[in-house]
Amino acid sequence: MTQRYLLTGAQGFIGRHMVSHLLCHSPQSTVLGVGRSPQQDSFFNHSLSCGDRRVPASLPEYLRTALGPGYRYVSMDIASADFAVAVRDFRPTKVIHLAAALRGVPDELIYQNNVRSTAALLRAIGQCDVEMLLFASSGGVYGKQNHFPIEETAVVLPLDSYSRSKLACEELVRQFAFQSGVPT
């Protein structure tokens, strides 16, 4: 069976590698990449420090050539009605949620964007026959710990807005999994 992967955050570092991996290891699959950024095929969306200046982070050649007919990227807000329509039309079988507002933007925007977009994604895929949901959280939800390696059963002590937003998203995903029966 051909898999239809919906991948949020597809223009990010992990997202680009995930798209490449999916297309390489499952070439008959279809991947719909979604993100806020416009499609950029030569550079990552982040820049790098080079001394006292910022320079674009070049996309490695193996990521540039990995895209093919099974991949389509759409720039849109995950919380928009257009996204819900795109998800319904695409009918994903597997969902990989990597999109997130990162540290460096105002705290209230991090929390609002991450939690709002995750809730909107879960509403949109709730209408589909999704077989699996992969949600990328953050080790930051555990905060400062005294014992290593950190066990997933450790008490969570998020120290910043980004980590608190990821913890709130984890709870939304947990509730979705319980109510829908979709493995997460």
Side-chain angles (χ1 to χ4, degrees), residues 47-117:
S47 57
L48 302 172
S49 294
C50 184
D52 59 349
R53 63 188 179 101
R54 304 289 294 172
V55 295
S58 294
L59 203 59
E61 187 63 31
Y62 69 89
L63 290 179
R64 292 183 201 181
T65 59
L67 304 181
Y71 179 66
R72 182 169 63 102
Y73 177 77
V74 180
S75 175
M76 67 173 55
D77 182 353
I78 296 172
S80 72
D82 290 341
F83 175 75
V85 170
V87 169
R88 185 189 69 230
D89 291 348
F90 183 64
R91 298 178 344 271
T93 54
K94 299 191 177 179
V95 178
I96 303 169
H97 183 38
L98 304 175
L102 302 175
R103 293 173 176 96
V105 298
D107 287 352
E108 61 275 358
L109 285 179
I110 289 174
Y111 194 86
Q112 176 187 355
N113 286 342
N114 292 350
V115 176
R116 181 180 64 111
S117 65

